[in-house]
Amino acid sequence: MVASSVTFSLKSLNLSPGSHVLIEQVSWDDYEALLEELGEDRRIPRVNYCQGTIELMSPLPAHERPHRIIAYIVTAILDAQNRNWEDFGSTTFKKPKKAGLEPDTCFYIENAPQVRSLLRMDMAIDPPPDLAIESDVTSKTTMDAYEVIGVPEVWIYDNNRLTIHLLQQEGYVETANSLIFPDINVVQIIPKLVQQAFEKGTSQMLRELRLSLTQDS
């Protein structure tokens, strides 16, 4: 952990894959300046901000694959249910002066029609994503940022285990049931499908999943 005011260039930091750094006592203006310095097209590092703390992450490939596979599974199920969705990936969401967040993956589902034409998000008028998906153990800084942004449901996948976190008045509460898929035991099903993707290949797993969803409908 680095606990000091930001007075350096982020580009001077050599973040190796798997790095995770917290920098405290960072102003909102410094956070905005760092994002501008890094540019909109970069993918690494991921940068989250909440109440004066910046979190920098340089994911390993093992971090990236699971959340992408889970995103494919989510869209396959939504398509089988004939539901609208929009994938906003790692879009940066901001509540000025409070929090900035870059999810691993996120979706608009209930609010998909409201955001489908948007290229930039304004959390003062636009809704937060309905679902966010994170790989590996997500830090308190990230979860605090999710709470400020107001994302109602966050999935965390870590070591072949999925946990569901629903936003309540007292913060996030872990639960066995998803609001997005109330009739599907995603806690059990998602890890099995991710493992199948590793064993058979993602495309084969998805073909079999879509076939089973068609037969069940």
Side-chain angles (χ1 to χ4, degrees), residues 100-134:
L101 179 68
E102 298 173 7
D104 279 344
T105 300
C106 69
F107 288 93
Y108 284 88
I109 301 167
E110 298 301 323
N111 290 312
Q114 295 176 241
V115 301
R116 60 191 173 201
S117 64
L118 299 180
L119 298 178
R120 291 180 177 273
M121 307 305 296
D122 181 351
M123 292 291 92
I125 56 175
D126 299 322
D130 296 295
L131 172 66
I133 301 167
E134 292 280 345

Side-chain angles (χ1 to χ4, degrees), residues 29-144:
D29 289 341
D30 284 337
Y31 163 68
E32 292 270 44
L34 293 174
L35 289 183
E36 184 175 353
E37 178 189 350
L38 287 169
E40 294 183 355
D41 296 332
R42 52 91 194 169
R43 289 182 54 83
I44 296 175
R46 284 181 54 217
V47 183
N48 292 335
Y49 175 92
C50 190
Q51 308 290 4
T53 298
I54 275 185
E55 180 179 32
L56 305 174
M57 292 156 286
S58 180
L60 291 164
H63 172 103
E64 291 291 292
R65 282 204 68 202
H67 72 79
R68 294 310 311 150
I69 293 170
I70 295 171
Y72 297 142
I73 295 168
V74 167
T75 57
I77 297 173
L78 290 171
D79 286 342
Q81 295 177 344
N82 198 31
R83 296 167 68 184
N84 293 327
W85 57 269
E86 297 293 339
D87 182 352
F88 270 63
S90 296
T91 297
T92 300
F93 298 90
K94 299 177 185 177
K95 278 288 182 71
K97 309 297 183 181
K98 294 182 180 180
L101 179 68
E102 298 173 7
D104 279 344
T105 300
C106 69
F107 288 93
Y108 284 88
I109 301 167
E110 298 301 323
N111 290 312
Q114 295 176 241
V115 301
R116 60 191 173 201
S117 64
L118 299 180
L119 298 178
R120 291 180 177 273
M121 307 305 296
D122 181 351
M123 292 291 92
I125 56 175
D126 299 322
D130 296 295
L131 172 66
I133 301 167
E134 292 280 345
S135 291
D136 299 334
V137 176
T138 300
S139 75
K140 186 177 186 300
T141 300
T142 299
M143 294 307 290
D144 286 348

